[in-house]
Amino acid sequence: MHKNNIMRTKRNTEDNPSSLLRKCKAVTMQDAVLYLCRQDEVNLSHEKFESQNATKSISSTRMNRKASRFNDLNAMCSPRVKPNNAKIIHALSVKWWTRHCRDWRLLFGELGIPILVALTFEIIAGTEPSGVKFGIIHNDPGFNISDATCNYNNATRCFENVGICDFLKNFETDKFSWIHVNSFQDGVSLLEGGRVLGMLEFPANFSLHMQNRMLQRNFANNETIDGSTISVRMDESNKILTFWARKIIIDKYLKFIESIAFACSFNGNIAQPGLQFTAIYGSIELFDVLSYMKPGIIILHMFLLPMSIVLISTEDRVVGVEGREFISGVHFRHRLISAILTQSCMILVQIGIFLGVMYTFYGTVIKGSWVLAVSLIYSCAITGLMFGAMIGALCDKILDVIFILMLVVLGQLFATGMFPLEMAPWIVRQLFVFLPITQMTKALRSICTKGWGITNPVVVTGFLPVLGWIAVSLVVIVLAERRRYK
């Protein structure tokens, strides 16, 4: 408006003098200019007054609008009431159930993986090998490995059971598959090509030299000793199979020597080594080493399966579901209690799958208390659930959670005592002790194979990581939640 007055004053001063004198009712030009100046001062004060009134009017309008909005919000919002924790937890549980009913992948991951792991482990590693191919170099024209009677009639008289077939008949028919090899070079070619695991080479006239060795005993010459010695060559790159095959061959050879001694009315126990092994716990059988690994398999998977549920909660946070639940009054304590209640049902089913498959179909024995064993496995699963919740609280992206879960899986795989920790350096063993499931594995193994109870220090120590890691996880989760929703 001030600009308009200036323009109007400028137009007035641009009029001709007579017209200007007539408009200002002045006699001289000096009086006309003085009149115009007074008129401008009056207009300027009037404009200031109008501007102040307009400002007051705008401020008043804004205040009234804010007050109106505040009153509208008060009218819309219900009075503050105490949340019903039971209903919130029930709603979260219903949400968990509905999600599992709609998405079959969750059920497959939580129920199918325990079945797959138990069956695969027991089918592949739970039974002894069979049909292992071994070559035989016999150097005996009268020997025919394809003959069902093996050219021998199971002779039991003295020095009549010292032949190649008398040795081979001690082997079970399903353990080894014998392949005829013409020469040593052919056997080496088969070994280098991976077509056989090993080969047995019998020297020429093996039966005669074996008989002379038994007769001459301490006076046997080098020709007799070399002629009665069986050479065994194997592919030692597969240590599990070769160790098993070596033990089987040694046991069958001792049985072969014992049968010769009994046929000649000697004391057969002379053929046995001067060492006697007796097991206090477990068994001295080679493949009973799997009973040492089974508790580690169960503990490791029962720790990892509940921990992986963190991917679902992280996805809810990324898409905004968790934020809307927080506005609705759902806090961390509600999610935690609901997760423990719902996952406990799934954990008990998973425990039943692991123990049921291994006990029913593969004869896994728990010599100690079943209640104590199930309690320890359940505690391990709850620890995994809290550990996963801690990872989810520290990460805001699904990819970050996946990489951390992979790191935890690989770190726990070889550090849980599934393999003897005495094989690791001393400093590494001390670090592994503080990992979540190392002591739990040792405790479960003691319960299953030794029958120890809760009064044993090893079993009690297995429950201590449960308390420690749950406490650490809760502290970290609470601090992360406060930072996120402060």
Side-chain angles (χ1 to χ4, degrees), residues 1 17 20 28 56 74 89 112 159 167 179 181 197 261 270 284 316 323 326 382 409 448 471-472 482:
M1 292 181 67
L20 184 61
T28 62
K56 291 180 180 180
N74 288 337
I89 295 172
F159 299 131
F167 172 69
I179 299 175
V181 180
L197 179 66
I270 298 177
I284 61 174
D316 288 346
F326 179 79
I382 294 297
V409 170
C448 294
V472 171
R482 287 183 177 179

Side-chain angles (χ1 to χ4, degrees), residues 277-305:
F277 294 91
T278 304
I280 297 178
Y281 298 114
S283 172
I284 61 174
E285 295 297 328
L286 175 61
F287 270 82
D288 280 345
V289 68
L290 299 178
S291 62
Y292 179 88
M293 300 175 63
K294 288 177 182 177
I297 294 289
I298 296 174
I299 287 292
L300 177 63
H301 285 85
M302 288 307 302
F303 180 82
L304 298 179
L305 288 175

Side-chain angles (χ1 to χ4, degrees), residues 208-450:
L208 178 60
H209 288 297
M210 193 69 190
Q211 179 179 344
N212 292 334
R213 184 170 184 170
M214 297 296 292
L215 288 173
Q216 298 173 9
R217 301 182 187 176
N218 296 337
F219 302 99
N221 55 25
N222 292 334
E223 181 182 0
T224 300
I225 293 175
D226 294 337
S228 60
T229 300
I230 304 173
S231 298
V232 183
R233 293 173 175 84
M234 290 190 293
D235 178 8
E236 295 287 347
S237 62
N238 192 337
K239 299 303 294 185
I240 296 178
L241 279 181
T242 53
F243 187 70
W244 168 81
R246 186 183 298 112
K247 182 180 183 302
I248 295 296
I249 293 172
I250 292 174
D251 291 343
K252 301 308 179 184
Y253 180 79
L254 293 176
K255 187 176 180 181
F256 170 61
I257 298 297
E258 183 181 358
S259 64
I260 296 175
F262 277 121
C264 295
S265 300
F266 297 144
N267 187 358
N269 294 326
I270 298 177
Q272 296 296 324
L275 292 174
Q276 184 178 6
F277 294 91
T278 304
I280 297 178
Y281 298 114
S283 172
I284 61 174
E285 295 297 328
L286 175 61
F287 270 82
D288 280 345
V289 68
L290 299 178
S291 62
Y292 179 88
M293 300 175 63
K294 288 177 182 177
I297 294 289
I298 296 174
I299 287 292
L300 177 63
H301 285 85
M302 288 307 302
F303 180 82
L304 298 179
L305 288 175
M307 185 176 64
S308 60
I309 303 301
V310 65
L311 292 173
I312 299 177
S313 60
T314 305
E315 183 183 8
D316 288 346
R317 185 183 304 127
V318 171
V319 300
V321 175
E322 183 178 304
R324 292 192 291 271
E325 289 178 348
F326 179 79
I327 296 175
S328 302
V330 179
H331 298 289
F332 164 71
R333 63 180 183 273
H334 302 125
R335 297 197 303 270
L336 177 62
I337 296 175
S338 175
I340 293 176
L341 292 177
T342 53
Q343 286 304 127
S344 293
C345 301
M346 191 63 66
I347 288 170
L348 293 176
V349 175
Q350 291 168 350
I351 294 174
I353 292 174
F354 271 116
L355 297 181
V357 172
M358 291 186 176
Y359 178 81
T360 304
F361 297 100
Y362 301 102
T364 301
V365 178
I366 298 179
K367 295 184 178 180
S369 172
W370 277 78
V371 175
L372 187 61
V374 172
S375 300
L376 181 61
I377 300 173
Y378 175 81
S379 302
C380 172
I382 294 297
T383 306
L385 179 64
M386 297 302 301
F387 199 88
M390 179 179 66
I391 295 175
L394 296 175
C395 302
D396 293 326
K397 297 181 179 179
I398 298 179
L399 191 60
D400 296 341
V401 175
I402 293 175
F403 279 120
I404 294 179
L405 289 178
M406 292 175 59
L407 177 63
V408 173
V409 170
L410 296 177
Q412 295 283 331
L413 183 60
F414 302 106
T416 59
M418 189 184 304
F419 302 98
L421 293 180
E422 288 76 11
M423 300 169 63
W426 180 85
I427 185 64
V428 177
R429 276 183 274 166
Q430 306 309 313
L431 295 176
F432 284 175
V433 168
F434 294 97
L435 294 178
I437 63 177
T438 302
Q439 298 298 330
M440 298 182 194
T441 304
K442 188 182 297 185
L444 183 62
R445 183 178 296 116
S446 300
I447 296 172
C448 294
T449 61
K450 301 178 182 179

Side-chain angles (χ1 to χ4, degrees), residues 332 383 386-390 393 468-478:
F332 164 71
T383 306
M386 297 302 301
F387 199 88
M390 179 179 66
W469 279 102
I470 288 179
V472 171
S473 301
L474 283 175
V475 172
V476 174
I477 293 172
V478 170

